[in-house]
Amino acid sequence: MLKKTLSLALLTVMVFGALVTVEAQEGTMEEPIWESIMLTPDNTKLKVFGENMRKHNQKYHNEGAHSVTVYTINSGPNTGKVIWMMGPLKFADLDTRPAAGGHDEDWRDNVMPYVKKIESGEYWAQDDKLSNTSMLTPDNSIYPILHVRYWEVNSEHGHSLDRVLKQISDAVKAMEGENPWGVYDNLFRQGNLGRHMASVGFSKKWAEYDEDPTFKAAYLKIHGNDSWETFIRDYDQVLDNSWDEIWVYDKNLSGD
């Protein structure tokens, strides 16, 4: 279990900083974007919250760029909170997002009364060159477990970030079997808030955490037997802080 967790720690890298944010804004606008918010539901009204959220998403967010996927957070200090995620989309799609026809009133009157807190409204762009997500389909139930890692980039060593991520990406793509893994840029400046970038590992079932990791072997095969210590040193220099969350897809609350 520990070995699998350490392997996923290397696979699920999320990094954000001022330098990275600028690069993301300049270089990823043609790549898919997701809008996400984190909701804290009223635990005394979970039944009504779930029913109303499901009805809202299935009525107003069930197709196209405005489709919504909902995840529950199952680990870390945000356990029990909900991630509401719309996309993939382009920023232009936000100009035509549902608003009229009762959408805003339904959200205000039937969802928000059962939400204690709303936070972390963010826009994430996938780095297609680094990511390994071609095997994913619109059916989120195939890979319902997401291992998300948030990272803060070191201001002095952030220039090495692209190189480190490229090394990780090459190793992930060389691993046997299907290993969906995505790298995402937080598109607006975060400063001391962290959450500068994110990587996500996608799993079909929890039992995968019991399997022996294969990332290190793939990394050494690609980069050489003497490359590991240098990689770990560079990895630690580039990143200041990191933390994990496990998200689980909630089909009942989603619009898809």
Side-chain angles (χ1 to χ4, degrees), residues 137-183:
T137 71
D139 185 356
N140 294 293
S141 63
I142 297 177
Y143 289 94
I145 302 170
L146 277 57
H147 190 127
V148 180
R149 170 157 287 189
Y150 297 96
W151 285 91
E152 295 180 28
V153 179
N154 181 277
S155 59
E156 295 183 3
H157 298 280
H159 61 276
S160 299
L161 173 62
D162 288 346
R163 175 170 54 82
V164 172
L165 287 176
K166 177 66 164 54
Q167 291 172 345
I168 297 173
S169 176
D170 289 345
V172 171
K173 293 173 182 177
M175 293 166 59
E176 294 184 1
E178 292 188 346
N179 300 286
W181 180 75
V183 178

Side-chain angles (χ1 to χ4, degrees), residues 29 33 65-66 89-97:
M29 291 300 97
I33 295 169
H66 303 121
L89 49 79
K90 296 181 179 180
F91 278 118
D93 293 315
L94 298 178
D95 294 323
T96 59
R97 68 185 303 156

Side-chain angles (χ1 to χ4, degrees), residues 40-43 45 48-49 52 109-116:
T40 302
D42 183 345
N43 288 334
K45 304 290 180 58
V48 179
F49 168 78
N52 292 358
D109 298 336
N110 296 319
V111 177
M112 289 308 296
Y114 306 101
V115 174
K116 297 175 64 176

Side-chain angles (χ1 to χ4, degrees), residues 180-252:
W181 180 75
V183 178
Y184 303 90
D185 293 319
N186 199 332
L187 290 179
F188 293 98
R189 190 173 299 231
Q190 295 297 297
N192 293 329
L193 295 175
R195 300 166 65 97
H196 302 142
M197 291 187 64
S199 75
V200 180
F202 300 80
S203 297
K204 291 183 177 180
K205 52 188 178 181
W206 283 99
E208 293 180 26
Y209 280 84
D210 293 324
E211 299 173 1
D212 289 333
T214 61
F215 173 77
K216 183 176 180 179
Y219 186 94
L220 295 177
K221 182 178 180 180
I222 293 295
H223 301 292
N225 291 331
D226 298 327
S227 63
W228 189 252
E229 290 186 4
T230 301
F231 166 67
I232 295 299
R233 182 197 64 203
D234 293 344
Y235 183 87
D236 290 340
Q237 287 182 338
V238 165
L239 305 174
D240 277 341
N241 190 21
S242 63
W243 58 98
D244 292 341
E245 288 182 347
I246 303 298
W247 299 359
V248 177
Y249 170 57
D250 192 324
K251 182 175 178 59
N252 184 55

Side-chain angles (χ1 to χ4, degrees), residues 79-90:
T79 295
K81 296 182 181 181
V82 169
I83 299 294
W84 184 98
M85 184 173 293
M86 185 169 70
L89 49 79
K90 296 181 179 180

Side-chain angles (χ1 to χ4, degrees), residues 65-76:
H66 303 121
S67 63
V68 162
T69 306
V70 176
Y71 301 91
T72 57
I73 302 177
N74 280 34
S75 72

